[in-house]
Amino acid sequence: MATPRGTTLPQHRELSVNGITMHVAEQGRGPLVLLLHGFPESWYSWRHQFGPLAEAGYRVVAPDQRGYGGTDRPEDVDAYTILHLVGDVVGLIAALGEREAVVVGHDWGAPVAWHTALMRPDLVRGVVGLSVPAVPRASRPPLRLLREQFGDDFYQLYFQRPGVADAELGRDPRATFRRVLGRAPDGGTAPDSPATGFLDRFAEPRVLPPWLTEADVDAFVDQYRRNGFTGGLNWYRNIDRNWELTAPWDGAVITPPGMFIDGDQDVVRGFMPADALPRLVPNLRSVHHLAGCGHWTQQERPREVNGALLEFLSGL
């Protein structure tokens, strides 16, 4: 990753957080902004946000979340519930010596951000979701609803089988990241047979998109050598458990100021619409739909994302 002259790189360290050792990257001084990545990603997903936010006067911290990269990976599947993940954010704020933070999340990091703002609004100055909006708690266990709507082949259902997706994704991590991050709407080689695994859903890109370099792919591959993919997959294996655990907050709203950003080509739009956001986040400051942008929002469109983040932060 090229660094502009005079710009410092994030510093790395490990912290004791909520019973685990957590690796974090941090840069800058000022009000705390936490950046929470999704699957299959790491702190590196926010590489384009550190410099601009730090230079604007913020303390920017991006952890490897529970089960990822340089952070511990507990063995038990039930150690990855939304309560554990929110607890990690609460513990991280304290471990950093802070009393509050703006919490920003992408993909799976977005539900963690939304739920942190829901459950601990006293700690959250503002909340931003990228790609995944806040959604109402389902009327029935979510996996059953997903099966009824999309069938048994839906990827979140495929991820439920212990060891299966873990082995598929870990067999050739470089190929995994090139396909999942670097897939393009055309110019790739689609599989000739129906999808039998997760990676079969993606074309093999002949050339990576302009926003992703081979060095970026190398960085993700290197970070997955320690923990592999099981930790991140265990988040999916708690979807129904999370539904049970969040019953006390059914009907509650997210009170801190909020913002949502997504791409108009993001596949998440097909099964997680943002229609309920104004009702669930009554202090929703803005919504940004980025034309021509896919799922990897802050990596694909850093200029627009950084601009929106800075505008939101300056208004708090």
Side-chain angles (χ1 to χ4, degrees), residues 100-249:
E100 59 183 5
V102 175
V103 186
V104 182
H106 169 256
D107 184 77
W108 250 113
V112 178
W114 295 123
H115 279 88
T116 301
L118 174 68
M119 298 175 179
R120 292 300 306 269
D122 56 311
L123 300 178
V124 178
R125 292 180 58 232
V127 56
V128 181
L130 279 69
S131 176
V132 178
V135 295
R137 183 172 177 270
S139 60
R140 292 183 288 155
L143 293 181
R144 185 187 311 169
L145 296 175
L146 291 172
R147 182 173 285 106
E148 291 173 358
Q149 186 173 1
F150 299 108
D152 291 335
D153 291 334
F154 188 63
Y155 77 100
Q156 294 186 16
L157 300 174
Y158 172 69
F159 285 172
Q160 301 303 310
R161 300 161 60 191
V164 177
D166 319 49
E168 181 196 3
L169 299 178
R171 189 171 298 117
D172 185 346
R174 183 170 183 78
T176 293
F177 282 106
R178 290 188 90 257
R179 281 197 173 200
V180 175
L181 297 181
R183 69 189 189 276
D186 53 23
T189 303
D192 295 326
S193 57
T196 57
F198 180 66
L199 296 179
D200 291 338
R201 295 160 169 81
F202 305 105
E204 176 68 33
R206 298 189 184 98
V207 179
L208 294 176
W211 59 267
L212 185 70
T213 69
E214 294 290 354
D216 293 332
V217 174
D218 290 339
F220 283 113
V221 171
D222 183 65
Q223 290 158 7
Y224 273 70
R225 284 177 179 159
R226 170 177 170 177
N227 275 337
F229 293 86
T230 297
L233 290 166
N234 283 342
W235 291 37
Y236 290 92
R237 293 163 184 159
N238 279 279
I239 288 175
D240 276 355
R241 187 175 288 112
N242 290 341
W243 178 79
E244 296 172 356
L245 293 172
T246 55
W249 290 273

Side-chain angles (χ1 to χ4, degrees), residues 46-113:
W46 302 101
R47 59 195 177 279
H48 301 301
Q49 282 66 54
F50 281 97
L53 269 60
E55 290 166 11
Y58 297 98
R59 183 184 185 187
V60 186
V61 177
D64 284 337
Q65 295 203 78
R66 176 178 292 246
Y68 287 88
T71 293
D72 285 349
R73 191 193 88 187
E75 291 297 324
D76 293 339
V77 173
D78 60 6
Y80 296 85
T81 72
I82 194 65
L83 297 187
H84 289 87
L85 304 175
V86 170
D88 291 347
V89 176
V90 171
L92 178 57
I93 293 171
L96 291 167
E98 302 281 357
R99 295 184 177 180
E100 59 183 5
V102 175
V103 186
V104 182
H106 169 256
D107 184 77
W108 250 113
V112 178

